[in-house]
Amino acid sequence: SFQLTMSLNATTLLNEENAQGPKRNIECLEGLELQTPPSFQDNPLQQLQLASQEVLEKAKRSGRSKCPRCNSSRMFYCYTCFVPVETVPTEKIPTVKLPLKIDIIKHPNETDGKSTAVHAKLLAPDDVTIYKYPCIPEYGEKRHEVALIFPGPNSVSVKDIAFHLQKYTKKGVCDSDEDCSREPLPKQAKIEPKEEKNPNESISSSRSEGTRLKKIIFIDSTWNQTNKIITDERLQGLLQIELKTRKTCFWRHQKGKPDTYLSTIEAIYYFLVDYHQEILKESYKGQYDNLLFFFSFMYTLIKNAKCCAGKD
């Protein structure tokens, strides 16, 4: 999560990251290109299929602007109203259509300006809702179609969503895998393992089971604050999903935590890519890349600022 309350020049960007670098002017940010092109491993964001970021370039040059709703001075967007500022026309911001709904539960101590969760709301406004804990929905009645992204001891991989959702009914979930395997739950077709099915039918069946998932929940907080939310009774009994291991590109790295701890917008993006390929069984062609529209721009801006000041 990050804060966009700084004026965008190399000095203030680096001070924001607690770095003491020499003063440089804004030209350093605008014209800087690394002498050797970074590899994909150095910057996986460079392969994204993004809408033109010229609107953000212009906004960066003109500086902070007013939020059209609360009149606060912001850079690019207002992180409390979830709207672009006046210098960033809404029609120039890409809109991403998601295959399911996303609820983001934000820890009350998570600084609004540091959170990347707002990116999801700005870029997929029809499919994303942000709640500030403890104000969250009751998910009990919907647990047959809702899952929570959290790397716990009982978490399952994205590809196994279909298998595990079979155990959930509209009324609840069976107590254990053993109980489930003994007797299918009401209103569910029995699985007959003896009979070999056409492979194509199996894929189709798996896909329809997986798409029973209607909503995915993300927790927006530092890892140290997560426990308060994950232990809330309203989230108990939900299917928990663990993402594949990927390295974060986030510049505001949590001290003492591994680089596999993703920012909220990265977690949402990577989940959707996996869901698209492993549950929808469709080839991924950049459909959700624009979720990283703001993130990738800020990544480049801060990377260049650090480079400009002679930092790695």
Side-chain angles (χ1 to χ4, degrees), residues 96-293:
V96 186
K97 183 64 185 159
L98 307 185
L100 34 64
K101 300 295 181 185
I102 287 177
D103 280 0
I104 300 172
I105 301 173
K106 195 169 175 300
H107 193 282
N109 295 342
E110 180 75 359
T111 308
D112 288 344
K114 291 184 177 183
S115 171
T116 61
V118 62
H119 297 186
K121 182 63 179 171
L122 283 160
L123 297 162
D126 295 339
D127 298 318
V128 174
T129 308
I130 298 178
Y131 297 93
K132 185 168 279 192
Y133 188 84
C135 298
I136 66 174
E138 294 282 352
Y139 293 107
E141 291 296 311
K142 299 279 188 179
R143 65 175 64 174
H144 60 290
E145 57 187 33
V146 177
L148 172 67
I149 298 292
F150 189 76
N154 300 315
S155 298
V156 306
S157 65
V158 172
K159 66 181 172 56
D160 291 331
I161 289 174
F163 173 75
H164 289 278
L165 273 184
Q166 291 178 50
K167 303 170 190 174
Y168 289 71
T169 67
K170 291 186 180 181
K171 289 185 179 177
V173 60
C174 62
D175 294 330
S176 71
D177 287 356
E178 199 179 350
D179 292 338
C180 287
S181 59
R182 264 205 304 272
E183 186 63 37
L185 291 169
K187 296 185 180 178
Q188 286 189 305
K190 289 191 178 184
I191 299 166
E192 302 290 350
K194 295 174 187 173
E195 213 175 303
E196 282 296 323
K197 289 186 178 180
N198 182 314
N200 293 333
E201 283 179 21
S202 297
I203 290 174
S204 167
S205 167
S206 170
R207 185 187 187 282
S208 65
E209 288 292 344
T211 52
R212 288 171 59 189
L213 185 65
K214 300 287 175 61
K215 181 174 287 185
I216 197 81
I217 304 165
F218 290 83
I219 296 174
D220 184 48
S221 78
T222 62
W223 283 95
N224 294 334
Q225 295 172 335
T226 302
N227 195 51
K228 182 180 179 68
I229 297 177
I230 199 65
T231 55
D232 189 285
E233 61 180 13
R234 290 167 291 183
L235 298 180
Q236 302 314 301
L238 294 177
L239 180 63
Q240 291 187 3
I241 298 169
E242 187 163 11
L243 300 178
K244 285 180 188 171
T245 301
R246 291 180 171 100
K247 289 188 177 181
T248 183
C249 287
F250 198 31
W251 50 92
R252 195 179 292 279
H253 188 61
Q254 292 182 40
K255 195 172 181 181
K257 301 299 180 187
D259 59 5
T260 52
Y261 282 27
L262 304 173
S263 66
T264 301
I265 194 65
E266 287 176 300
I268 292 171
Y269 169 74
Y270 285 126
F271 166 77
L272 287 168
V273 172
D274 291 347
Y275 181 84
H276 193 86
Q277 294 172 316
E278 297 182 13
I279 299 298
L280 301 185
K281 305 290 184 188
E282 295 174 17
S283 61
Y284 184 70
K285 297 176 180 174
Q287 289 91 332
Y288 315 119
D289 283 10
N290 274 321
L291 285 174
L292 298 177
F293 180 75

